[in-house]
Amino acid sequence: MSKIIVLSLLLLNMHHAISAPKGVTASLKAKWSITPFLLETSEFIGEDGNEKFWQFLDTVKELTVYKQGESVRSYYNLIIKKAGQFLTDLQVNLLKFALALRSYSPAVHASQQIASDEPPPEGCPAFVSIHGQHSCSTKEIKKLLKAAAGRPKPYLYKNDHKYPGVIKTDVPVVILYAEIGTKKFTTFHKVLSEKAEEGRLIYVLRHFVADPKPQKMLLSGYAVELAIKSTEYKAVDDTKVKDLKTVTNPDDDDNDEVQGFIFETLKKSHPELQGQLTELRKHLLESTNDMAPLKVWEMQDLSFQAAARIMSVPKFDALKLMRDLSQNFPSKARSLTRVAVKQEMRKEIEVNQKHLSETIGVHPGDGELFINGLHIDLDIHNPFSILDILRGEAKVLEGLHNLGIQGDHQGNLLRLPVNAVDDNYALDIRHPAIMWINDIENDSMYRSWPSGVQELLRATFPGVIRQIRRNFFNLVLFLDPVQEESLELVKLADLFYKHKIPLRIGFVFVVNTKDEIDGFSDAGVGFYRLLNYIVDEYDVSQALMSMVALYNNVDVGETLSVDTLSAYLKKKFPKANAERILGVDSEYDDKRKDGALCYKNSGLGALPVALFNGVTLSPEEMDPDELETIILQRIMDTTTAFQRAVFMGQLTEGSDVVDYLMEQPNVVPRMNPLILSNDRKYLDFTARPVINDWEDTTMFSYLDTRDKTAVVAKRMKYFTNTDKDGMSPVTMWIAGDFQKVSGRKLLLSALKHVKASPGVRIGVIDNPSGKPSEDNTVLYRAIWASLLTQKNKAAAEFVQKLLKEESSQLLHKGTKMKDLLVQGMDVDAFEKKFNTLEVDFIRSQQLFCRDVLKLNPGQRAVISNGRILGPFEEHEEFTVEDFHLLEKITLSGSAEKVKTKVKQMGMKPKHASDLVMKVDALLTAAPKGEVRRDVHFIKDNHSVLNLSPRENEVFYDVVAIVDPLTRDAQKMSSMLIVLSQVVNVRLQMFMNCRAKLSEMPLKSFYRYILESEVTFLANDTVSSGPFARFMELPESPLLTLNMITPESWMVQAVRSPHDLDNIHLQEVSGVVIAEYELEHLLLEGHCFDLSTGQPPRGLQFTLGMSRDPLKYDTIVMANLGYFQLKANPGAWILRLRKGRSEDIYQILTHDGTDSPADAGDVIVVLNSFHSKIIKVRVQKKAEKINEDLLSETSESKGIWDSIASITGGGSKKDDKEKKKEDVLNIFSVASGHLYERFLRIMMLSVLRHTKTPVKFWFLKNYLSPSFKETISHMAQAYGFQYELVQYKWPRWLHQQTEKQRIIWGYKILFLDVLFPLAVDKIIFVDADQIVRADLKELKDLDLEGAPYGYTPFCDSRREMEGYRFWKTGYWASHLGHRKYHISALYVVDLKKFRKIAAGDRLRGQYQALSQDPNSLSNLDQDLPNNMIHQVTIRSLPQEWLWCETWCDDASKVTAKTIDLCNNPKTKEPKLTAAARIVPEWAEYDIEIKELLRRVQQQRDTATQQESSSTSKHKTDKQHDEL
């Protein structure tokens, strides 16, 4: 009651006039037209597989018909409903999020862009392109197909949608450009899909909207910041701007409490006082928006106070409160100083921080986010990449959920380290068949070497191979002595041996294995026997020498012959008995078969083969010319791995090095490329089918692949050999036709393996060669009957007997099955089952083999924990050894680890084994990402916000560590709120507070633009889209607006009458509106010269489309070979620029692109909001090997040609200029209306004092829309050229966060890449400068070999001596006798600048210094002065820059330019100073204002004419496009 009285009194005292709310709104539009939701949905579904994409298309064939009669919201809901047939509930939520983000819009627009490049025939709602010929009608397809073969096939992109018909390579490719869901699409689709199914053509679909809606869509996934500016120097323009009329809803945030009043409740109780309540709320807010600075002692505890406030509210409001506190901190700070912090909370935070620092290296104040243990770096990730992560995780999470795994078990299984597929498997080299020539550890020749493994850590010169008496490096050569290649390999082994390389060398000789064989007729056998003789009589080293001598007697191109052997034996060992050594009954024939057996069992490829520490060398590496280098390189590479092992204590003095090597996880008992290959396919066991019936084949045939798999898994019976826990962590299914020898052999090998291996079980699937009948399934029915009726041991014995060839022959001859039964079997049960078994379920198994395993009838396959191996070739063997290898690989992948976790769940062994199989298949099939971290907190009562997930649903485990008053909190709070709306989360958020703050932790207002799903208005139309609203801002501070976008976005302000760099709400009526546009998506890359390994500095690339090949261009910088190109969604062609780049270089290979790596034209498709980074490797052409890109002066016009046909008066130049024109190139940067006003005056002053043509270059990134609109008029009026240049700050270069410092960085850091190579000299002139001389003098000034010239600071004004910081401390000692230069005016010789890589040096120094926030306080000025010793500065004569702050009045007379420097003593505002110091300034100002007034007048007249003509033709507005 008392509150109502107070409220009434307050309302009585207030004025009734309700003023318009003040605030700021910012929005960001895409550059392209709005894309239909249906098309975006199809792209979302297409990511789950091509099959689903086409099924969805069939479902929505003519959906657009409904668009006419339905409201926009119901049409949207209809699309979601249709998509829901192909997606789970979780995926539907992710789809809604993707549509809100417009995440797939670039993919749809990319297709549209490709279509426009065709180009589309006039007036066609849809059309086909058949090898370059177009048609709008299905009737012409036949005719066009006939002649298609004579025309080249079109280029198909990786993301193209190909119809899954019969794919043949020799048929025409038909590309349909159409909008799915339309009638025209259906007509074409029907014809093309039928032809594709018959294998008569390849049918490709690309999205094409014939009549795109003109409106652009609003984007989200970025942030807007209003940073509080320093007002030490007044830098605000006094020109008034016209406000735009805007409607905003001030009531949106009524649910916040303001000074004890909850306005949402009050407005509901007192609807008649709506207006006054709004005004009261505004009044209270303004009195609380106390921006008076806090004392240092009040700031110290703010972080803990914010955390205490957040932890004190109900759980579900905590995130919203954190968002409110962090995003509106400047106006909330004072209220936080009154919050008390409990001691328990401080202690708990301290305990958790200590634990986090020790376990994951997170320190107080750091912000970290983990989703299911995956680290999400918020500096790199944005909502688009997080959506991808959520989608990727969904598959695994839903799988685990469907398998019944819940709660903590989910996290435990997810975090299991699944061993990534290893490329370099090693073979165990501890085999008796290897004849070792030497032994580093025991041979006397190595006795002088040290033997300690610690020796590895001793420092040596690079490239030196350490000589240590351990068998670290082992080379095994598998040779057939008679092969020609063996000769070089034996010589190489001898070379290593003689030079005492620490390499243990062994041979395996693969020779004829027949028992009775004569060494006089088989050279290989003779060689082996002779070698054994020499080893017995002498020693192994003598044997090696003899081998070399023997091979030296063989002529080039010949192979070892028996004659050569006999001759050598006679000559070298005259006393030896040749018959005893080489004959049939040789005494030296011991172990001859071992080599061949070892080779056969090893599964190695064609001879000769070399193993280095067990790892096979590829056939290319076996080239004798290369092998020596490769082995030495391997020794160097392996040394580092050993060093790490010694350092980590894994390899100690007592270790046997060879045993250590052979116990590594990549060592296998044999090589089988099929088992070890990287390309692995897995079954999906995660479905929960409604039926479990495979007896009804018709029903079974309707199930999808996942359901079929689940039914087979449920009904499968096994031969088992359980381990000590009663479980079988490895489940193998054998599919084949057991009426055939190959099928029986395969199953027999599997059963033999089971017998010898505990922990394996075998299931059997029949895949008969013909249609299943009683005749062709006899054996399988007997196997199945025994599995159903007999104990495990008896069944296994019986089946093993049954599979033997004699049993098959007996059955064939008419023996009854009962006569083959073995002892211990339950005969009656078996007979009853065997005689009554139908074959229907075998038909279902055959369907499973066909549809899921992709086997033809009769083909064989092995499935191990869901991994499919096969189909096998008819004569391909899969032996017991292969099963042994497969088991090892399966266990070491993740089965062993999964078993440990499943065991803890305490379930029955049969269920447990099933679960291990299913979970193993799910986890190993999932793409391998980074390591998942187990992040937990020691205590979580006072400092951790715990939000539980909804029960019995799939949930994401989210852990956030954040200080509530940091940029991370501003971003993370919004993200977590949206995340919890999109998916079911279990959230733990730890308040990672910093103590003893000495300054305000946040100096900005912030909004993160993100919505969980598309929003609709009350009339069921789509809302215009998300935008940033700052409504209750304090009016006193000066604010600057910054857009914080994903890394690859280039945005620019396109509409705002206000000065977005200086927003002062006291001087604004209504709302400041800022409209931005996503102008470009960036294509970034790194380029290297293959022959030197260095970046080719100055190389130029162009980017375009086939009809417009030169749209954008760029220069490669030496730092990381980095380049960036502006682009937008579509397919682009990257080429070397015509001219010197193309003359000297050629592109050799490229990665991350969409064309084959060796294709000359590099095709890049931009089809998402993600960053696209490519790698390009180039090489000089043979005849240009000594040419240098930067040495020539003749370079065609360069880089940003393309942008600036926004150039003004007389700027269009004939390409074939008679000679290079003498142009003054002036560069400047400006931000904010005041500096743009100064900039125009500077330009006018330059033009008034020169007769030389002038071209101005402006940094586009920070110019206001009004400047960009009027510059062309000014260019026309004054006859100059101009160009707007743009460069996105590279992601790898340390980022600045303050706008002023970013602009300073642009002044100095990118001079080598901002301008075309054709520009020789550029003069930078500060915006607030007035020029009084001809700048051509400065251009022609001799820089005496320096790359740039700056004017030193004046010394003549004595009263400022105390402010000359460069005369004391660091600067005095660093500069020595040199002067400190001012960066307001400088001239750059770009040729010299690039030649000495000045830009790269400046960036390198900047990178080193900028990590320290206290260095480079005047970045653009401090950096060149700091680098004065590395990059010389030519000091310009003093008269080139006069500034009142530092120079005395007497020198003003000779001043060639006057700069309006800030005065640290008087802090005089710039506008006042300009009018006082420079008499002509006011005249220039009036002249330009008059020009701008005329421009505005023309624009107003044009607008009026336009609006009057449109009102005549006004028609009813149709539905908004979806």
Side-chain angles (χ1 to χ4, degrees), residues 102-149:
R102 310 305 306 228
S103 188
Y104 290 86
S105 180
V108 174
H109 185 67
S111 283
Q112 187 83 8
Q113 198 60 37
I114 292 165
S116 68
D117 213 30
E118 281 276 354
E122 284 292 308
C124 267
F127 68 97
V128 285
S129 169
I130 303 177
H131 295 210
Q133 302 241 330
H134 303 151
S135 168
C136 305
S137 153
T138 47
K139 296 187 183 83
E140 291 178 23
I141 291 178
K142 215 171 187 178
K143 188 175 82 185
L144 290 176
L145 281 173
K146 273 181 187 161

Side-chain angles (χ1 to χ4, degrees), residues 310-311 315 318-319 322 348 352 355-356 360 367-373 407-408 411 415 933-941 943-949 955-962 972 976 979-980 984-992:
I310 291 163
M311 293 304 293
K315 274 184 183 182
L319 280 174
M322 180 166 99
E348 188 178 294
N352 283 332
H355 168 71
L356 288 172
I360 54 172
E368 302 291 353
L369 180 64
F370 297 89
I371 297 180
N372 293 339
D408 288 335
R415 279 193 298 274
R933 317 293 286 271
D934 181 10
V935 185
H936 60 274
F937 308 104
I938 303 290
K939 294 180 178 174
D940 63 355
N941 301 322
S943 64
V944 179
L945 171 71
N946 283 302
L947 292 180
S948 307
F955 71 89
Y956 288 77
D957 206 339
V958 179
V959 178
I961 298 169
V962 66
M972 215 186 278
L976 291 173
L979 196 61
S980 60
N984 186 20
V985 297
R986 176 170 80 184
L987 174 67
Q988 292 171 281
M989 183 168 75
F990 169 60
M991 299 289 149
N992 191 21

